[in-house]
Amino acid sequence: MLGLAAAFGLAGCAGGANNSGSISSPGSGSSGNTPATPTAGVAMSGTVHGGQKPLAGATIYLYAAGNSGYGTGATSLLSGTVTTDPNGKFSIPDSFTCPSADSLVYLIAKGGDAGNGDNAKSTLMSALGRCGDLSAGMVIDVSEVSSVASVYALAQFMSPGSTDVGTSSTNVTGLVNAFSTVNNLVDTNGAARSKTPAGNGTVPQSTINTLANIIAACVDSKDGSQCQQLFSLTTPAGGSAPTDTLSALLEIALNPGINVASLYTLATAQPAYQPNLANAPSDWTLSIEYTGGGLNRPQLLAVDGQGNIWAPNAIDPGSLSEFSPVGAPLSPTAGFTGGGLSYPEAVAIDATGNIWSANEGTGSVSKHASNGSALSGTSGYGSSRSNRLVALALDASGNVWGANLYNTVLKFTPAGTLTGQLAGGGLDVPYAVAIDASQNIWIANSGNSNGVSKFTSSGAPASITGYSGGGMSGPVGIAIDATGSAWVANFNRASVTKLSSNGTPSSGAGYATPAEVSAVAVDGANTVWTANTDGSISRFTSSGAAISPATGYISAGATGEVGIALDASGNVWTTDNYVDSIFEFIGAASPVVTPMQTAVKNNKLGQRP
């Protein structure tokens, strides 16, 4: 290869938060059969503060997130009016009822007086979690910090100008996992974390506090007199200016390259939260670095249907690392082993949750169950020294297609039987493989041809010599978007290439990235993400216009990203085998259908679930 919770953390209560990441899917009708049973609420209390000042007279709203569409359908739970006292404190009686025990609950605080007069432009947020997990007597902290944590984790399920949080009926799991991510960013006392609850994740505490400081001056000002500059700086290109702090914060989360240096100056005016950034960052993404779980030269990763992250470790005999949707290690300290793993370079996950691995060392594929147990014996399937498998993709029927550096693409049945191979068609050191909605097989060739091959599901080549042009140079990654176009990662050039569904290049000399590209992925808004060898990631529109800054989005600690995968919560995950870590960019992308095989089967590539 290249060498390269059940109760969430904003509520303090006896016993602490459940950080296991094992959460049942919520929402009325989420099972498709069992009607939701309304669940009685519990009495709770809390404090609303702007900066370190209590907000008196703020109005409290309690909502259950919707599941009838993204950013819509939330249910108001309180029948009476709840406001904060002169000390910013409030009490919620137990008279409310949730649609179900699985309803995901969050709190909004509007307005309030920090000592300078009421400010109608102040809107703050605190995500609480499942209604059935709310504890009587729990204490809720609502502040700029809780707002940053909640908004970033839930960004893809919100809309600017609205307090509604909602998902589609087919992506309830994505919203559950997004709610649980809040607990990774802020603790039960309302402070930004430096480490995740599991202890293996490094949280950007100073960035969270700096974002909180950016909106604090607006929150604390009289009649919102300090808000105009914030709203102006967070107005998206071609969009409307925010009118409250929650919408301004959401615009930053959705557009993390927006006016970075200018927004940073707002934070220095009133640094209420410490520690904060000493200098302006490169962008406003929030990313967590995770270690453990047996990570050892992790390569091309994948996400399963529950949102768990799987990464192959390119060592011999090889291992697999698994992490929960909140980054907690689920694999042992040496990873999952067996099944013939030998320098596994990539994984792909089938619709039943099995993990397939491409073994460069033995030329085989390995199969593991979702619990990590080996299903492919001691040597894997199709072991042969005449093969060097480095990438996998699954078609709608569950067949496994493996890119073999020795100029073929191997086909395995769902049972692991090697049934044939593709040859010709311009294959030249195949390095990556993808399946489109028509079940065509696309291959990135890293050899001197600098091209891409395409075959029908029956093995017929679409072109005798393959496709070239569009700036392709050392293609090592490939992904298919919603229109059937192929996006190619160029390892010998700092760019990504776009080919139409018939192989025609449309990217000129390639769309520029900060460094050479190792892998590429397409999110649910049909925008394109690249993992770059300088440790950054980049984002492009479907027409190739850069969304991310020229430097890409950068995570502290990242050195050279190898793989990239997206989940149903909108998080972007990358592997970095120089530091044996995985990185998560919180809420940065539009949610996708996972695993990839399900998206291929249901024609949902480049679309939200």
Side-chain angles (χ1 to χ4, degrees), residues 28-67:
S28 57
S30 60
S31 68
N33 298 308
T34 306
T37 301
T39 298
V42 297
M44 302 177 289
S45 63
T47 303
V48 181
H49 55 96
Q52 303 300 332
K53 302 174 183 178
L55 288 182
T59 304
I60 303 301
Y61 301 86
L62 192 67
Y63 294 99
N67 63 1

Side-chain angles (χ1 to χ4, degrees), residues 187-525:
D187 66 21
T188 56
N189 296 314
R193 294 186 185 274
S194 60
K195 287 288 186 180
T196 57
N200 69 309
T202 300
V203 182
Q205 182 184 54
S206 294
T207 306
I208 295 172
N209 285 335
T210 300
L211 286 163
N213 289 332
I214 284 173
I215 64 171
C218 171
V219 170
D220 288 352
S221 65
K222 182 179 181 180
D223 299 325
S225 58
Q226 301 299 312
C227 298
Q228 188 55 46
Q229 188 176 10
L230 171 66
F231 296 161
S232 176
L233 290 173
T234 54
T235 302
S240 301
T243 57
D244 60 51
T245 53
L246 191 72
S247 291
L249 186 55
L250 180 57
E251 291 290 7
I252 298 173
L254 294 175
N255 306 283
I258 193 169
N259 294 321
V260 177
S262 297
L263 284 168
Y264 176 76
T265 64
L266 302 184
T268 59
Q270 186 174 346
Y273 299 101
Q274 302 285 348
N276 60 335
L277 294 173
N279 299 289
S282 60
D283 59 77
W284 293 116
T285 54
L286 290 182
S287 57
I288 300 177
E289 179 181 3
Y290 300 100
T291 57
L295 288 173
N296 190 347
R297 295 189 69 241
Q299 300 293 322
L300 303 181
L301 72 171
V303 183
D304 69 19
Q306 300 304 309
N308 299 310
I309 314 303
W310 291 83
N313 298 299
I315 56 176
D316 196 25
S319 66
L320 302 176
S321 295
E322 181 190 10
F323 295 82
S324 78
V326 292
L330 300 179
S331 47
T333 55
F336 295 121
T337 57
L341 290 170
S342 177
Y343 294 103
E345 301 284 4
V347 291
I349 300 169
D350 66 30
T352 60
N354 298 311
I355 296 84
W356 295 81
S357 305
N359 296 310
E360 185 178 7
T362 58
S364 68
V365 295
S366 296
K367 183 180 181 181
H368 288 72
S370 59
N371 64 2
S373 60
L375 301 176
S376 49
T378 58
S379 58
Y381 301 131
S383 177
S384 172
R385 291 295 179 182
S386 63
N387 298 323
R388 291 177 61 195
L389 297 181
V390 292
L392 296 175
L394 279 71
D395 65 21
S397 300
N399 298 306
V400 181
W401 299 83
N404 175 19
L405 293 179
Y406 292 149
N407 292 342
T408 61
V409 176
L410 306 184
K411 179 183 179 181
F412 298 82
T413 70
T417 303
L418 179 59
T419 59
Q421 63 182 16
L422 306 178
L427 289 176
D428 183 14
V429 193
Y431 212 88
V433 58
I435 312 294
D436 66 22
S438 298
Q439 308 310 303
N440 299 305
I441 300 94
W442 293 76
I443 301 97
N445 298 302
S446 62
N448 293 330
S449 66
N450 293 316
V452 163
S453 298
K454 177 183 176 183
F455 294 81
T456 68
S457 58
S458 62
S463 168
I464 299 300
T465 59
Y467 307 126
S468 59
M472 280 189 285
S473 181
V476 294
I478 190 165
I480 309 300
D481 71 14
T483 67
S485 296
W487 291 81
V488 183
N490 295 312
F491 190 68
N492 293 340
R493 178 177 293 165
S495 69
V496 62
T497 293
K498 181 182 180 181
L499 303 175
S500 71
S501 58
N502 64 7
T504 302
S506 59
S507 49
Y511 303 124
T513 55
E516 293 81 1
V517 182
S518 300
V520 61
V522 179
D523 72 11

Side-chain angles (χ1 to χ4, degrees), residues 11 41-46 62 78 90-94 96 105 107 128 134-140:
V42 297
M44 302 177 289
S45 63
L62 192 67
L78 300 182
F90 63 89
S91 296
I92 296 175
D94 62 3
F96 70 91
V105 179
L107 185 147
L128 306 183
L134 301 179
S135 302
M138 68 191 298
V139 179
I140 304 164

